[in-house]
Amino acid sequence: SWVPVLTTDTRALEDDELDNLSTQQVVQRRQLRFARDPLAPEGRPGDRFRIRMRVAGRWRMVDWTKLAGDAAGEQPADVRDFRYAVVGSWDWSKEVELLPSGTPSEGVYAAEVTLPQEGTHQFLIVQNGDWDRAFYPMPSECGGAAEDGVLGPDDRGQDLFWTLAGRAGETFRVEFVRKLEHGLEMRSVTWQSQMA
């Protein structure tokens, strides 16, 4: 696990000056770098943490503890507990639901989309109809299949889309795989033309 470490910038701050600054102003005058914390608990998808920031005069400290499923009041969500849909430039207002395909343990969701016009089209995947919970490709993966290159679900993928090119009336099968395997989350997005 990696932790942020604040280091003072080149201009030293006097004690009385620190007392008159807000936390945000102090943070803005420091540089952020990351260091490995060997004592921090490891996290996995679905784990929950309690994060606290403590302020005492000029001293600021952040600490966190991992919450057990029972202490948090619920067990971590299973990736199968969500609905997924593909949305694309062929009609941004219409979500095409990705339906489970195969056994639940395979974690495969699939949908077919038909292109209304010839050209290159962009798409991404949303969770539970929420665009702030979108899956999108890593920047280097934007032009093709995304094995191990799926980011999200979050709202940070603006201007990052998968692309497919086809003719008017051509149908593509889009598959989204999301499953837990040995405690690790596995994801991929692939698509293939259904024209023979």
Side-chain angles (χ1 to χ4, degrees), residues 90-146:
W90 48 83
D91 185 351
W92 287 114
S93 66
K94 182 181 177 192
E95 295 179 4
V96 179
E97 186 174 3
L98 290 154
L99 299 173
S101 176
T103 66
S105 63
E106 292 174 317
V108 178
Y109 302 84
E112 289 190 352
V113 294
T114 301
L115 303 181
Q117 59 192 19
E118 184 172 339
T120 301
H121 297 270
Q122 303 173 322
F123 72 95
L124 52 80
I125 294 170
V126 295
Q127 177 178 291
N128 292 340
D130 185 352
W131 283 67
D132 288 338
R133 307 288 298 157
F135 294 91
Y136 50 90
M138 287 185 188
S140 63
E141 304 269 345
C142 291

Side-chain angles (χ1 to χ4, degrees), residues 59-78:
W59 304 104
R60 279 116 179 109
M61 185 173 94
V62 175
D63 65 12
W64 57 93
T65 54
K66 187 175 182 179
L67 299 175
D70 293 332
E74 62 185 53
Q75 294 294 324
D78 188 307

Side-chain angles (χ1 to χ4, degrees), residues 138-160:
M138 287 185 188
S140 63
E141 304 269 345
C142 291
E147 300 295 329
D148 301 321
V150 181
L151 300 177
D154 56 46
D155 64 350
R156 291 176 262 175
Q158 297 178 12
D159 299 325
L160 292 174

